Amino acid sequence: DLEQTIQSSRAFRQSGGRLVQLVFPVTRAQVSGEAVLIYTTYEAVLEENGVESVMRGHATEFFVRRDGRWWHPGWHLHND
């Protein structure tokens, strides 16, 4: 959930970890009315304790427009 994601991100940063690079090589959008599904691949380079690691995978994100604003109620990551 959101709170767990925020806590995990804070702990990563407080331990000295950093995001070195984030790219989305392939991204497709599927629009239906006021909703958009995004399908993408990603590659993230992270550094922790001076050691870089690479995470690759696929992501699906859901956006919906309400009252003139775009909201991001859900997403899913799958690491390769």
Side-chain angles (χ1 to χ4, degrees), residues 21-39:
Q21 182 179 28
L22 179 61
V23 294
F24 300 93
V26 177
T27 301
R28 292 174 291 165
Q30 189 174 22
V31 180
S32 179
E34 298 290 298
V36 178
L37 277 171
I38 303 287
Y39 303 97

Side-chain angles (χ1 to χ4, degrees), residues 4-22:
Q4 183 180 6
T5 300
I6 291 170
Q7 292 297 333
S8 177
S9 296
R10 282 187 182 139
F12 174 73
R13 183 65 185 139
Q14 289 172 348
S15 72
R18 69 184 193 105
L19 175 64
V20 176
Q21 182 179 28
L22 179 61

Side-chain angles (χ1 to χ4, degrees), residues 1 3 5 10-11 13 17 19-20 23 25-26 31 42 44-46 48 54 56-57 61 64 70 73 75 77:
D1 67 357
E3 188 58 35
T5 300
R10 282 187 182 139
R13 183 65 185 139
L19 175 64
V20 176
V23 294
V26 177
V31 180
Y42 65 89
V45 180
L46 306 174
E48 255 185 302
V54 178
R56 290 182 182 91
E61 298 189 70
V64 63
W70 285 100
W75 51 275
L77 297 179

